[in-house]
Amino acid sequence: MMTVALVVVCSLTLSLGAAVGVNVQKLSMNREENGRKPFMQPLWLMGMAVIVVDAIGDFVFIGLAPQSMLAPLGSLSLGWNVMLAPIFHRDEKVTKTTVIATAVIYVGTIISILYAATSTPSYNLERIKELAGNPYFINYLMFTLAAQGTLILHGKRKGYSMLHYTALTGSLGGETLIFAKSSSELVKNAIMKGEFDELRNIIPIMAIIMTIVTALTQVHVLNTGLAKFEALVVVPVYQTFYNAFAITGGLIFFQEYRAMSKKDTTMYSIGLMITLVGVNMLVQQRRKSVLPSHVE
């Protein structure tokens, strides 16, 4: 089990890498004048390399802490984004409201992680199979896939708005975290107990493949949204959807709610609500200058 302080330090470090990578990719797309696809742009590939290295660190980290703690920690990346976005994109300005909203998000995040489940058991292959077959998780997965399908169809018919991109990216992020944590747990269990035969099973192989597929799709959708809309708006709205799907998915799939008392659950929920208030402050602050011209 990792201490809360160590979890926060690791998360801050990894979220910095993610924020740098995303902003470098957006900078590349904004500067592109030859109509090249993102993967043909050297600067975009540099940002992707940073994200990949960061993702490897994430893969190790997520096996050491419960998902209900990991998900709200993602909000810490908003602080890095507030600092980095104006540096990479001169037209994006940080205001007093932006700083206050980010502080509110950090307070909510700290409360959430203080009352989240503080330990994560080891999951072997049989336990992962059992969790995946849970009817509650199957219903949640069907709901998520249906929501994604609806967003894609609506976007094709009516045009993709900022909310389409952020909702799709957030839901994909929630799925990625479940696949990645399952993969990480199986790898960790194999190393610690020497049960390497489990890694030859189709389930861990598929979990790793799905982690890569959903992560790459998530990056693609997020980049498309960032190419059209301001990072100071896209990132916090994406983070809201990510928190909703990642937290719900973790609580249902890994059944982490069983390790939380009523007080823990209440304070955890209050922390999440405070975080959402901060995110809403960021969105409302930017609405007049960005949303009227893009989201109708």
Side-chain angles (χ1 to χ4, degrees), residues 19 75-84 102 105-106:
S75 298
L76 297 179
S77 64
L78 297 180
W80 294 122
N81 188 63
V82 166
M83 290 185 282
L84 294 174
T102 303
I105 290 170
Y106 270 60

Side-chain angles (χ1 to χ4, degrees), residues 40-57:
M40 297 296 291
Q41 302 168 23
L43 189 59
W44 187 92
L45 291 174
M46 185 184 300
M48 189 64 195
V50 173
I51 292 176
V52 170
V53 172
D54 187 74
I56 295 173

Side-chain angles (χ1 to χ4, degrees), residues 63-108:
L64 304 176
Q67 185 165 324
S68 57
M69 180 182 289
L70 296 171
L73 278 170
S75 298
L76 297 179
S77 64
L78 297 180
W80 294 122
N81 188 63
V82 166
M83 290 185 282
L84 294 174
I87 297 174
F88 284 93
H89 323 294
R90 297 301 176 87
D91 58 329
E92 300 190 19
K93 306 298 181 182
V94 175
T95 65
K96 181 179 179 180
T97 302
T98 302
V99 175
I100 294 174
T102 303
V104 171
I105 290 170
Y106 270 60
V107 170

